Amino acid sequence: MQYGICNLSIIPLRFEPNDTSELVSQVLYGEHFKILEQRKKWSRIRLAFDNYEGWMDNKQYLEITEEIYKGFNNGEQPLVADLIDFVSCDNNQLIPIPLGASLKALDLFKHQYEGNKIIEQQPKSKLIETAYLFLNAPYLWGGKTNFGVDCSGLTQMVYKLNGYKLLRDASQQATQGEPLSFIEESEPGDLAFFDNEEGVITHVGIIMKDNYIIHAHGKVRVDRIDHTGIFNAEKRAYTHKLRVIKRIV
């Protein structure tokens, strides 16, 4: 088994091994992974954080040993706390890194970082405050940053920044936590899941107080929610049908 780590800011993770393939997720600076299959130009990887798999360009990561990989799985997991920041290299060049990037590999990369970090697990009450950092970020299928994020990327990153683990896709996240019987039982930070006409869960958002929800739909936005689903006041219509509310924390 081979192992790798992302030493660039944001790398696309694709469904198939070519540049025109669907973006399924992103690999952020400092994220480490197993290399499941390596070809001449592409590698199929499995991220350590959420076990998500996809194809990554061989030119866009650094190979590491199994010992280093296992070491990164233990101990503190410091993350970038600002919307965007920079690490500096020995040649005084700067590399931009996004909110939520991992800082465990600074010594390995020989990079320096002087910005704000998140190290300790935060209380559930911080989840909505963190979600607001993504407000108005454009929707991007497979995205995980303020420059483009999808619905489950938003929920995963908000939880990650507060020290909690969520899986990557909405349908996967819906398998976590405890279901609530009524929306009235929910509290800020709980997750609401929505399905399509076939009953497949395709959307997720974070419950706020007073029957509001923050979610990624066109952009990260705040809408009303009730037992039917998400109501868009601008369109005067329901945009998503509520399936279940889950308490993760």
Side-chain angles (χ1 to χ4, degrees):
M1 181 70 72
Q2 293 175 289
Y3 303 87
I5 190 167
C6 177
N7 58 337
L8 302 175
S9 56
I10 308 166
I11 303 305
L13 194 64
R14 300 196 179 275
F15 184 69
E16 294 178 340
N18 64 73
D19 286 317
T20 60
S21 178
E22 173 190 353
L23 179 74
V24 293
S25 192
Q26 293 174 320
V27 186
L28 306 186
Y29 176 91
E31 289 197 279
H32 60 294
F33 46 84
K34 291 181 179 179
I35 300 171
L36 305 177
E37 178 183 351
Q38 193 170 53
R39 300 184 183 178
K40 183 178 179 181
K41 295 182 179 180
W42 293 84
S43 292
R44 185 166 65 89
I45 71 162
R46 178 185 295 146
L47 287 166
F49 179 75
D50 57 10
N51 289 325
Y52 205 70
E53 296 181 13
W55 289 90
M56 192 173 180
D57 189 321
N58 290 343
K59 300 186 298 295
Q60 295 185 314
Y61 69 83
L62 181 71
E63 287 197 18
I64 58 175
T65 65
E66 181 179 6
E67 182 181 7
I68 292 175
Y69 174 89
K70 290 181 176 179
F72 285 157
N73 287 335
N74 302 318
E76 293 181 342
Q77 304 288 336
L79 303 174
V80 174
D82 294 320
L83 291 179
I84 188 169
D85 216 319
F86 299 86
V87 290
S88 57
C89 311
D90 289 341
N91 55 10
N92 293 322
Q93 291 183 342
L94 296 177
I95 298 175
I97 52 175
L99 176 67
S102 174
L103 297 167
K104 284 202 79 167
L106 290 174
D107 290 341
L108 175 69
F109 297 152
K110 297 181 179 178
H111 291 168
Q112 290 79 45
Y113 177 76
E114 298 178 355
N116 295 318
K117 303 176 184 178
I118 299 172
I119 298 176
E120 298 177 348
Q121 189 175 79
Q122 305 298 307
K124 184 178 182 179
S125 58
K126 289 276 291 182
L127 288 169
I128 301 303
E129 180 182 332
T130 304
Y132 264 94
L133 295 175
F134 291 85
L135 193 64
N136 293 315
Y139 182 89
L140 173 66
W141 180 271
K144 289 167 52 173
T145 77
N146 303 78
F147 297 99
V149 67
D150 63 19
C151 65
S152 55
L154 171 67
T155 52
Q156 186 189 55
M157 290 304 298
V158 167
Y159 269 69
K160 181 179 181 179
L161 284 160
N162 285 278
Y164 307 103
K165 276 195 174 186
L166 280 182
L167 298 175
R168 179 60 180 90
D169 293 336
S171 59
Q172 296 173 328
Q173 294 175 7
T175 66
Q176 299 177 252
E178 299 296 326
L180 304 180
S181 300
F182 304 99
I183 193 170
E184 289 79 13
E185 296 177 0
S186 68
E187 58 188 31
D190 292 339
L191 298 183
F193 295 91
F194 308 84
D195 58 12
N196 59 17
E197 294 180 356
E198 288 74 41
V200 177
I201 290 176
T202 58
H203 192 68
V204 61
I206 304 174
I207 296 284
M208 303 169 63
K209 65 179 182 180
D210 300 328
N211 294 322
Y212 284 94
I213 186 170
I214 185 166
H215 65 128
H217 181 59
K219 64 178 181 179
V220 176
R221 54 182 293 129
V222 174
D223 286 311
R224 299 285 296 182
I225 183 172
D226 58 27
H227 65 279
T228 299
I230 296 176
F231 185 79
N232 185 315
E234 297 166 3
K235 295 182 177 180
R236 296 185 179 181
Y238 286 94
T239 57
H240 299 83
K241 180 168 67 75
L242 181 63
R243 170 70 170 273
V244 66
I245 296 173
K246 287 291 202 71
R247 177 157 298 160
I248 310 295
V249 180

